[in-house]
Amino acid sequence: MESNFDFPSAFRLKKPAEFKNVFANPVKSSDQYFTLLAIKNNFDYPRLGLAIAKKNIKKAVYRNIIKRTIRESFRIQQSLGCMDVVVLAKRDAVDVPLELLRKSLEKHWLKLVIRCASSS
């Protein structure tokens, strides 16, 4: 079976209500670079929302690099199951190599899969 590694529009949280739903009662995972919030959804695929604040990451260039890194990590991570995830970046995410951010995100994805499965 061939894996499909694209990132279609359906895999994104777009509406404020969808974000609110995740913020209401999430399963959390945090470290010095990111905070990830997740809840189970009613679809058979995961969805991603990004909340990268100008307050934390001042320059648009850095915000965009971080967003691309998060999207890429999410896209490659095929085994997330049915959950909605919102990623918030912290100030420390600016000054570190991208490889470190990728490793941090991988740990978060695994943690969230385990926590979401146990919270059902």
Side-chain angles (χ1 to χ4, degrees):
M1 188 177 122
E2 194 176 305
S3 288
N4 190 0
F5 284 106
D6 61 349
F7 188 55
S9 176
F11 283 36
R12 301 171 196 206
L13 296 176
K14 295 184 216 89
K15 298 183 177 128
E18 295 171 333
F19 278 87
K20 245 182 216 164
N21 197 17
V22 176
F23 284 117
N25 190 17
V27 173
K28 290 183 184 173
S29 177
S30 277
D31 67 5
Q32 68 205 61
Y33 309 119
F34 299 107
T35 297
L36 277 73
L37 309 172
I39 59 164
K40 279 192 181 282
N41 69 23
N42 298 325
F43 303 100
D44 48 356
Y45 51 85
R47 298 188 306 169
L48 176 68
L50 299 173
I52 313 302
K54 280 185 190 175
K55 183 177 152 192
N56 290 341
I57 317 283
K58 301 274 188 247
K59 295 196 174 186
V61 173
Y62 298 129
R63 283 197 305 276
N64 291 333
I65 289 169
I66 289 168
K67 285 193 250 184
R68 272 198 301 274
T69 305
I70 295 166
R71 276 192 216 106
E72 183 68 5
S73 175
F74 179 81
R75 188 184 67 80
I76 289 168
Q77 193 68 305
Q78 293 284 303
S79 60
L80 284 176
C82 338
M83 65 168 116
D84 289 347
V85 182
V86 174
V87 180
L88 301 111
K90 296 184 179 175
R91 284 191 177 98
D92 294 348
V94 174
D95 303 321
V96 294
L98 292 179
E99 192 52 41
L100 208 57
L101 294 181
R102 285 188 199 104
K103 284 185 178 145
S104 168
L105 286 165
E106 279 175 33
K107 287 178 193 162
H108 286 304
W109 302 135
L110 292 171
K111 210 186 280 185
L112 287 177
V113 167
I114 292 164
R115 288 186 183 168
C116 265
S118 66
S119 74
S120 58

